[in-house]
Amino acid sequence: MPATAEEEAYRHLQQALRLGRYKPGDRLIPEDIAAEIGMSRMPVREAFRRLASDGLVVLRPNRGCVVAGLTVDELYEIFEIRSVLEGLAVRLAMPRIDEEEFEEFDRLLERMERAGQSGGSDWVVRHQEFHGRICALSQRPKLVHQISALHAVIEPYMRIWFDDCDKPLSAREEHAAVIAALRSGDAQHAEQVMQEHVLGTAPLLAELVSPGR
């Protein structure tokens, strides 16, 4: 079905924020955005409220809608939450992972590798696809939604990190280790490996939000 004006505005802004088009502290002007999309201000203002609940913007009485930024502590907290939720998703997914799924994991890993070698920020999208595929097998829609929302908040930082380091050189090995843990058939072990994998990225991204950078 066609998207409502509010949904269209929300998707437009969410994508722009995830791609880093707007920077932390930028003020979003509803009139400008409405004119850009070709709609009235009201759906844009409603989209602001949804984005605020996602943690992507902050609504302030005197400044209106401002793009949210993360402190170091907030970034670590997001990765801590992600590690627990994605670890749980892995544990729930284990009974549904068969050889066909392992073949798909390998394909996704190859796509991630090719994207990294090309130097394009498409690597971030492929990375999310890999994690999303595993989490979807948990068959817990609310859990998957929460994980996806956390990915959206950190995506701009992931893109900056990727640009700074050309490509995450150890990414293939780390994700291959996740696949190996899934192949072990030990749900508790796989959960732990996923948690450690997610947490391992936090210190790298923390440098991007450290004061003085």
Side-chain angles (χ1 to χ4, degrees), residues 11 17 35 47 77 80 84 95 109 112 118 125 141 145 152 166 169 174 183 189 191:
R11 292 178 184 175
L17 290 165
E77 183 180 7
E80 287 164 354
V84 173
L109 193 56
M112 199 190 313
S118 71
V125 176
H145 176 75
D166 290 331
L169 298 177
E174 290 182 14
R183 280 192 177 277
H189 171 63
E191 180 177 12

Side-chain angles (χ1 to χ4, degrees), residues 26-170:
D26 285 354
R27 185 184 175 197
L28 301 182
I29 309 299
E31 292 82 2
D32 294 347
I33 294 169
E36 180 181 332
I37 306 174
M39 61 177 61
S40 66
R41 289 178 298 172
M42 187 57 67
V44 174
R45 292 186 183 278
E46 291 300 321
F48 285 171
R49 293 188 179 91
R50 288 181 61 183
L51 293 165
S53 68
D54 291 342
L56 292 172
V57 302
V58 178
L59 299 179
R60 296 176 178 171
N62 297 327
R63 293 193 63 198
C65 183
V66 178
V67 178
L70 295 176
T71 65
V72 173
D73 287 343
E74 288 170 338
L75 185 137
Y76 271 101
E77 183 180 7
I78 287 173
F79 275 93
E80 287 164 354
I81 297 170
R82 253 195 67 198
S83 71
V84 173
L85 295 185
E86 293 199 36
L88 172 60
V90 163
R91 176 154 49 86
L92 294 171
M94 287 289 280
R96 302 182 182 90
I97 300 177
D98 54 21
E99 192 56 38
E100 184 176 344
E101 289 297 337
F102 281 119
E103 291 175 0
E104 179 61 17
F105 296 155
D106 288 338
R107 283 193 290 270
L108 290 171
L109 193 56
E110 287 296 329
R111 291 173 194 162
M112 199 190 313
E113 178 76 359
R114 288 196 299 271
Q117 290 173 347
S118 71
S121 59
D122 191 43
W123 182 89
V124 177
V125 176
R126 300 307 178 193
H127 175 262
Q128 291 177 350
E129 287 178 353
F130 179 85
H131 281 260
R133 180 74 177 192
I134 296 173
C135 293
L137 292 170
S138 70
Q139 294 187 2
R140 297 293 193 275
K142 293 184 183 299
L143 175 61
V144 172
H145 176 75
Q146 292 297 324
I147 293 170
S148 178
L150 293 172
H151 275 274
V153 173
I154 63 169
E155 183 173 337
Y157 299 93
M158 291 287 287
R159 290 179 178 276
I160 296 170
W161 171 54
F162 182 85
D163 289 341
D164 278 2
C165 68
D166 290 331
K167 66 172 182 174
L169 298 177
S170 63

Side-chain angles (χ1 to χ4, degrees), residues 176-194:
V178 170
I179 294 175
L182 294 171
R183 280 192 177 277
S184 74
D186 185 335
Q188 186 174 359
H189 171 63
E191 180 177 12
Q192 181 180 354
V193 169
M194 177 60 87

